[in-house]
Amino acid sequence: FSGNKPDPESRQRAVQAAKESAWKRYTASFNPAKLKLYSRYEPEILSNLDAYILDSTVVDESLDKETRVFSVVVRISINETALDNKLNDNASAAASGGVPAQAGGTATMFTFIFVAREAESVKSFDARKTDIKSEEKESNASQNSKVSGGSASVGENSKSMSVVSQGGSTIRKSDELKYRVASAGDIDASMSDVLSSSGFDVIAYPDIVNECGGAKPDLIQTDFSGSDEMTPLTRKAAIDGARACNVTVFAVGTLDVGIQDTDPVSGNQRVHVSVRAQVWDIAAKLPRKIASVGPVQYAGLGPNPEVAKRNALILASKESAKAIVDQLNARGVR
């Protein structure tokens, strides 16, 4: 140190250490699949960290004269696209349990069916209660006699005790939800963008139905309007159609739109969307689940409920697609 300031070299070391610390906090938020993939290339990425940081700003710095320790706080902006490209490019296609690449080195053919749902009606059931009551009684009696002066008298004493036990059970039946299935145009566009940029050949499910058969989209929407799953027959028809078009990865998911409220920070309308999805390798006769998402919630903001809902659906579909890509990359599925 020179005077009240560290020398330039020491300050630079502190700033670099702060950037690395901020970076580690960021990577600690990765989902397990992405963190596993990142850990393979962490030393290489850390050696060239500035390639993944758009800019950094020193927020605060201080010097403790007694301990001669210089502290610095930085804020960094991260180039997530550059990092995702790095991880996707380096994902090993030979990872165990992965789906082999298509013949000729082409990308894996991927199709998906995601539906957005809003609760249309809720049927609630009253609790059914059964009461059980039992009662036990116990009686004791005694007699005594007395003879005196040629006369006799008889007396009787009695006492009783009663014990009452009560119990029972209550049966509650879950509410029945009826959903209104909304347009999935924004969902399809957002997910296709992420999957295509990650190296997958995305095939629109309606094109599969037109060319190779399978369960029609309106039939699938009908299944999801009253249940969280497709019926076995609908699911089999959808998978058979995808197989007939040489698709090897098939995904199904739902995005449930919640009730809007007001964001306490911005004052904008806010809508939460809960998403869950499952991904299967359908190359073999028996489908194998190779990835899953959720249920997890995302919130969208907007000046009115419709804009907030649309933003929430777009965000939820993009983040779901990223989570799917991370899991497939970790398995070597490209």
Side-chain angles (χ1 to χ4, degrees):
F1 296 94
S2 175
N4 294 328
K5 294 183 179 180
D7 58 78
E9 182 180 353
S10 297
R11 185 179 186 280
Q12 184 58 37
R13 287 204 309 270
V15 170
Q16 185 63 26
K19 288 164 62 176
E20 292 178 1
S21 177
W23 177 265
K24 289 180 179 179
R25 287 178 176 269
Y26 161 68
T27 58
S29 66
F30 289 170
N31 61 63
K34 187 172 184 177
L35 186 60
K36 180 180 179 180
L37 185 62
Y38 167 77
S39 63
R40 300 177 189 173
Y41 310 104
E42 184 177 29
E44 180 184 351
I45 292 172
L46 290 179
S47 65
N48 191 29
L49 188 58
D50 287 340
Y52 307 99
I53 295 180
L54 295 173
D55 61 73
S56 61
T57 304
V58 176
V59 177
D60 188 28
E61 55 184 274
S62 61
L63 175 64
D64 190 321
K65 296 181 180 179
E66 294 184 0
T67 60
R68 299 183 65 78
V69 172
F70 176 67
S71 302
V72 61
V73 178
V74 301
R75 179 185 294 113
I76 65 173
S77 297
I78 296 168
N79 189 340
E80 292 184 336
T81 302
L83 178 62
D84 289 341
N85 289 339
K86 173 69 174 178
L87 297 180
N88 291 339
D89 291 342
N90 286 279
S92 172
S96 61
V99 178
Q102 302 295 309
T106 58
T108 297
M109 295 178 69
F110 192 118
T111 193
F112 60 87
I113 304 169
F114 273 64
V115 296
R117 309 185 303 179
E118 294 183 73
E120 185 176 44
S121 62
V122 181
K123 184 177 181 181
S124 299
F125 298 89
D126 292 334
R128 188 176 68 189
K129 188 173 182 180
T130 303
D131 292 325
I132 300 174
K133 180 178 180 181
S134 63
E135 183 174 349
E136 297 180 1
K137 292 185 177 181
E138 180 181 350
S139 299
N140 294 314
S142 63
Q143 288 185 340
N144 58 77
S145 61
K146 184 177 181 181
V147 179
S148 175
S151 64
S153 64
V154 178
E156 184 178 280
N157 297 319
S158 66
K159 62 178 180 178
S160 65
M161 181 175 64
S162 177
V163 179
V164 178
S165 299
Q166 288 184 320
S169 62
T170 301
I171 299 176
R172 297 185 183 275
K173 188 175 180 181
S174 299
D175 294 342
E176 287 185 359
L177 288 174
K178 186 72 174 178
Y179 292 101
R180 178 174 62 251
V181 179
S183 171
D186 290 338
I187 299 172
D188 291 346
S190 300
M191 293 196 65
S192 296
D193 178 50
V194 174
L195 293 168
S196 297
S197 63
S198 299
F200 292 94
D201 280 342
V202 180
I203 311 299
Y205 182 75
D207 292 338
I208 291 176
V209 176
N210 291 335
E211 294 296 328
C212 305
K216 295 185 179 299
D218 57 351
L219 176 61
I220 295 173
Q221 291 179 358
T222 300
D223 284 356
F224 279 120
S225 67
S227 173
D228 289 334
E229 303 286 347
M230 289 187 289
T231 65
L233 290 178
T234 302
R235 180 174 176 271
K236 184 179 185 305
I239 291 177
D240 287 346
R243 279 201 189 110
C245 281
N246 298 320
V247 173
T248 56
V249 178
F250 183 86
V252 175
T254 56
L255 295 93
D256 293 334
V257 179
I259 299 175
Q260 70 270 11
D261 60 7
T262 302
D263 178 54
V265 177
S266 65
N268 285 327
Q269 293 296 297
R270 180 176 62 184
V271 173
H272 288 85
V273 169
S274 176
V275 58
R276 65 190 192 101
Q278 296 180 340
V279 185
W280 293 283
D281 162 24
I282 60 172
K285 183 177 181 179
L286 294 177
R288 293 185 301 127
K289 186 185 295 185
I290 55 176
S292 61
V293 176
V296 61
Q297 286 194 352
Y298 299 95
L301 302 178
N304 58 63
E306 282 302 313
V307 174
K309 180 178 73 174
R310 188 174 185 181
N311 289 337
L313 288 171
I314 292 173
L315 175 63
S317 56
K318 281 188 175 181
E319 293 302 318
S320 299
K322 289 180 180 179
I324 289 172
V325 168
D326 291 337
Q327 293 180 55
L328 297 185
N329 280 340
R331 296 177 66 96
V333 182
R334 296 297 306 277

